[in-house]
Amino acid sequence: MIIKNKKKLSVELTDKKAVYPVLPLQTGVLFPGTMITIQVGRKENLELINKCNSSSKKFVTAYSPHVKRSDDTIAPIHQIGVLAIVRDLKAGAGNSVTATIEGLRRVSLSEVIKSEPFITAKVDLILPSKRVPRNLKEKMDEILEVVSKITNIDPTYSGEHLRVLKMSLEDPSLMADTAVSLFRLSLDVQQELLESVDLSLRFKLLLSHLNAELNRVATLHRIQSNVEKTFEDDKEKSFLRQQLHEIKKLLGEEFIEEEISATYKNKIKKDSSLPEDVKTRGQIESDRLSQLSTASAEFGVTKNYLDWLLSLPWTKCTPENYKMKDIEKYLSTGYYGPKYIKDQILQKLSVRKHLGGIDEGPTLCLIGAPGTGKAAIARAIATALGKDFIRVSVGGISDVSELKGTSRTFLGAMPGKIIQTLRQAGTCDPVMLIEDIDYFNIENDSSVNMGLLEVVDNRLNTNFLDNYIGLPFDLSKVLFICSVRSYEEIPEQFIPRFELLELPGYIEREKIVITKRYILPKLFKKHGITKAEFKLTDKVLDQIISTYTQEAGLLGLSQQLEKIFRKVLLEKVTHKKKKWVITEKNLETYLGLPYFIPEKAEKEPEIGMAAGLAWTGAGGDLMFIEGIKMRGEGQITSTGSLGEVMKESIQAAHSYVRSKADAIGIDFNDFSDFDIHIHFPSGAIPKDGPSAGVTVSLVLASILSERPIRNDIAMTGEVTLRGKVLQVGGIKEKISAAYRAGIYHVAIPKANEKEIKDLPKEILRKTKISYLEKVDDLFKLCLLDFTPSTFTLEKIFADEIKKAKRKSQTSKSKTTKTKAAKKKTSSKKKAK
């Protein structure tokens, strides 16, 4: 099979094509004007060589690439070959012969005639290129320069190569062919150059491949020089070290380095808890330490590294011998909050207990405002499991090296924050609370986020690699708990790998209970004051909560109480008083003027004024919504720093009220003749969300129908265009805010009915709760003087009137019975 050449060739035109034997070459490529020595062993090739040698007959050599083939098939050969002649023939090993052949000129194989006893083919003689490049002299000089550099760098190339090439300067084609044969270029490259008949193309390719060969030999030379230099440096250091050893011997000085190194080696041998890879690294560093001078900086760096390596708790773990009943007990005593939170934590810990201290599930993430008990839950879990509790703040971290350490090659390198914390803990399985994730990586560098995820994710932390330690550390036994203020502040890379547990804020009654149960005992102990010396009532606590703090947690409350305790302690130290009773009257003497003025219910019903309920980061709050109408063109204006959702809620409420104008008793022309202004007070505070929909609907109905709204009821709920009231969040906090403001009647969506059970009994006992399915229910409940027949006041309060009549009737019947009994007794006395 002939491998055709893709380039156009110029051949001699003859009446009859010449026929020559063909010798396939697999170990080299023959060029015109050069000689190569080959070993011939195949039967057909031996016969060809012997025949051509005996008769001085010419033959063709062609490159045949290595291809798997059976014995009866013809080897593939390239179309472009060289007409050759045998110059020398010697017997070789076995039945082979060593032949020296010389190339005469390029030829082209056109057709294979026969393959027995050897390959014979028709051949065309290739005419040499007649076009001589203009810059041929410059290219030849450039080739000579490259060859000179190669022979100077690589001693395996003879220095005679340059002289041989200079001898053929008069024949550029011969010079190019000779240059190819002198250097170790690949066979495919040599065949490519053989097929390049055009001198310009051949010199261009030759120069490119010679430059590549120059780069190769230069790289090898550089590597070899570096290796030799390193060997020489090591030899010199060894010699100098030996001299130093002998000098110290003569001076009688102690070998401190060897003693320190021996100390570390003994420590490694005695510590059976170290993993094998840690022992191996420790031995290497100890040996290295003995060869360093105590005065060198490298000695201190190596010693510091060994201290870190051997002080880490690689396998020091506490046994998993806790009981689930004990965990439930500790959670109940250590954290005051909803039962479902404790149940979810118990379920997660039961998996860890069952798997022997390993949990491959998502990492627990506690979401809640400051002071809502995130740290208390983590501490209670650690106490229940009998493990160390560690708090780690990652706020402000913006570089992955702060988490994973710095490489030892840097000046002042240290391990990352996680490894440092574990060293302080002394165990490999503490309970670690990762705090301030909301202040972590402010620049949102994904590599930093992934660095922390590599720490807390149980799928990735089995082989955590600190850059300073350089050995994998197993973090899978550490119970990581993360905390964040709100869901929106969690980096998006963490959300799929977090099990989110939202901690609700505390209402006033819960804050009072937690203060008396947890905060006050700590403050008594911290300040050295006894309960007999200091008294604080629930009313005072309630006043501090409502007027000096505005938060969902208890952080601010704790700080205010600490202010009181410090002032009391000052008076105790100066012997001014011996007992202190904090009352509502003298509270300002300890805390100063109140910071907040709580919202209170209006004294009388008003048109366009309704009490809405809001849920903020600080808990529930009462929000009065005002509305007025004025002559205009039917436009709606809303003010109060409102978000897009709340503005859309106002539009939906207006559309519904407009659709029900006839039923409510509103003149339809009022919508086009009057402008409406809806205002949400406290304009500096941003507001958003759909839960004010029912309140806005009521305000719009009131100002357009000119009916006052009841001042003793507060409400919340989202409104649809069809007037349905949808579920909202923060019901417990909202009802508590209404109770705190003195409003004991609350209207909430029917869908939130199940959430009422979480409220304290005191609030449930005093507060009446109305459930809304449609906005019409709220209109019936809150709009006074509602004259249309469908919504008369008598129908609104029908149940209350009936109950009142029944009570009056029963009281009258009781009085008549008592009077009759008195008459009977008096008549009997008279008869006697």
Side-chain angles (χ1 to χ4, degrees), residues 638-789:
S638 56
T639 54
S641 187
L642 309 181
E644 289 299 321
V645 176
M646 189 167 277
K647 290 179 181 178
E648 292 173 1
S649 180
I650 293 172
Q651 291 293 335
H654 180 264
S655 298
Y656 178 75
V657 170
R658 188 172 183 178
S659 68
K660 295 289 183 178
D662 294 336
I664 300 173
I666 301 172
D667 187 357
F668 198 78
N669 293 324
D670 289 353
F671 289 100
S672 58
D673 295 341
F674 290 94
D675 289 343
I676 299 172
H677 187 169
I678 303 295
H679 179 64
F680 292 72
S682 301
I685 302 173
K687 309 170 190 68
D688 205 0
S691 62
V694 294
T695 316
V696 174
S697 300
L698 184 63
V699 170
L700 289 170
S702 170
I703 58 179
L704 290 170
S705 63
E706 297 184 355
R707 266 59 171 189
I709 299 171
R710 288 175 60 179
N711 62 320
D712 60 343
I713 186 168
M715 63 215 70
T716 183
E718 180 182 355
V719 175
T720 68
L721 278 175
R722 294 177 294 169
K724 291 185 177 181
V725 181
L726 303 181
Q727 184 177 3
V728 292
I731 288 296
K732 185 178 78 169
E733 289 82 359
K734 290 177 178 179
I735 295 177
S736 175
Y739 179 82
R740 183 175 65 245
I743 298 177
Y744 303 113
H745 191 169
V746 178
I748 64 172
K750 179 72 173 176
N752 290 104
E753 186 175 0
K754 293 181 180 179
E755 300 178 37
I756 302 302
K757 61 182 180 181
D758 296 332
L759 285 166
K761 293 180 181 179
E762 180 185 350
I763 295 178
L764 285 174
R765 187 170 60 252
K766 288 188 177 181
T767 305
K768 181 180 178 181
I769 299 173
S770 299
Y771 299 104
L772 307 175
E773 293 184 0
K774 289 192 173 185
V775 187
D776 297 349
D777 301 335
L778 187 67
F779 295 161
K780 295 175 187 178
L781 187 65
C782 297
L783 288 179
L784 299 177
D785 302 325
F786 208 57
T787 52
S789 58

Side-chain angles (χ1 to χ4, degrees), residues 261-272 274 279 283 306-307 310-311:
S261 176
T263 304
Y264 282 115
K265 287 180 181 179
N266 292 331
K267 197 174 182 180
I268 292 168
K269 287 179 182 178
K270 290 179 181 178
D271 195 348
S272 58
L274 293 176
K279 288 183 178 180
Q283 290 287 354
L306 280 169
D307 289 334
L310 301 180
S311 61

Side-chain angles (χ1 to χ4, degrees), residues 96-143:
S96 64
V97 295
T98 302
T100 301
I101 58 178
E102 181 184 358
L104 302 176
R105 64 178 299 178
R106 285 176 173 79
V107 295
S108 173
L109 304 179
S110 60
E111 182 184 357
V112 175
I113 300 173
K114 59 180 181 177
S115 59
E116 296 294 340
F118 41 76
I119 301 174
T120 305
K122 290 182 180 180
V123 175
D124 292 322
L125 299 177
I126 297 176
L127 297 174
S129 176
K130 295 180 180 179
R131 188 170 63 89
V132 178
R134 294 179 182 176
N135 57 348
L136 182 61
K137 182 69 171 61
E138 289 81 356
K139 288 188 176 180
M140 292 171 71
D141 292 340
E142 195 172 350
I143 287 173

